[in-house]
Amino acid sequence: DIQMTQSPSTLSASVGDRVIITCRASQSISTWLAWYQQKPGKAPKLLIHKASSLEGGIPSRFSGSGSGTEFTLTISSLQPDDFATYYCQRYNSDSWTFGQGTKVEI
Amino acid sequence: QVQLQESGPGLVKPSETLSLTCTVSGGYIGSFYWNWIRQPAGKGLEWIGRIYENGNTKYNPSLEGRVTMSVETSKNQIFLNLKSVTAADTAVYYCARGSVLVGLDYWGQGTRVSVSS
């Protein structure tokens, strides 16, 4: 099965910072990658699908890029509401595996 | 608005079977993949598996042999059974709607299951 690896595991940042989270797949997954945001005690929320397509209602400061095995989630200017844990996930076929998560903290 | 609600026992004894139900409202379960995901306290998300409306399933290889999923389309319900549980199966269990185009777009609030005697 394809493995998904995120880096870093934890990221310390300040309001207004540009934040980049990386997700690597052990084999090519084309652009079948989603990004989720999870806050404590809540279910994950879909932010981006197909590597770079922003879900409706998600602020434009979030963006995704990449294809094949390397992907990034960028938050252009971190806002107080963005402190959370972010997960990537490969989907479309086989096991829909998650990365281990990246916690964005103050 | 599609809503998902997980239900089931909050406590299961070791070696027994964990059984959960996901009830979908506000939409028909057809044409989507219905997924179960779990999250131990303080840890990341683990994809358990998915089922399509026709009963086709795909499970996480690490849980293959212990997990079964089923669907009752007339009741808009999806079921998870995980047998021979141990303390390592203690987690919050989520159900989520999936499509091959966008991933998991609707999630339930999750239900906490503890495995303990």
Side-chain angles (χ1 to χ4, degrees), chain B residues 2 17 24-25 27 32-33 39 57 60-62 73-74 115-117:
Chain B
V2 176
T17 297
V24 179
S25 58
F32 291 100
Y33 290 90
Q39 186 172 38
T57 55
N60 186 325
S62 70
T73 54
S74 64
V115 178
S116 174
S117 55

Side-chain angles (χ1 to χ4, degrees), chain A residues 6 28 34 36 44 54 65 84 90 96 103 105:
Chain A
Q6 284 181 239
S28 176
Y36 302 87
L54 202 64
S65 66
R90 67 87 45 124
W96 291 10
K103 183 177 182 180
E105 59 183 23

Side-chain angles (χ1 to χ4, degrees), chain A residues 1 36 38 49 91-92 94 96, chain B residues 39 50 61 100-102 104:
Chain A
D1 258 14
Y36 302 87
Q38 187 182 33
H49 70 269
Y91 64 97
N92 181 261
D94 297 321
W96 291 10
Chain B
Q39 186 172 38
R50 67 176 181 268
V100 295
L101 296 179
V102 302
L104 304 176

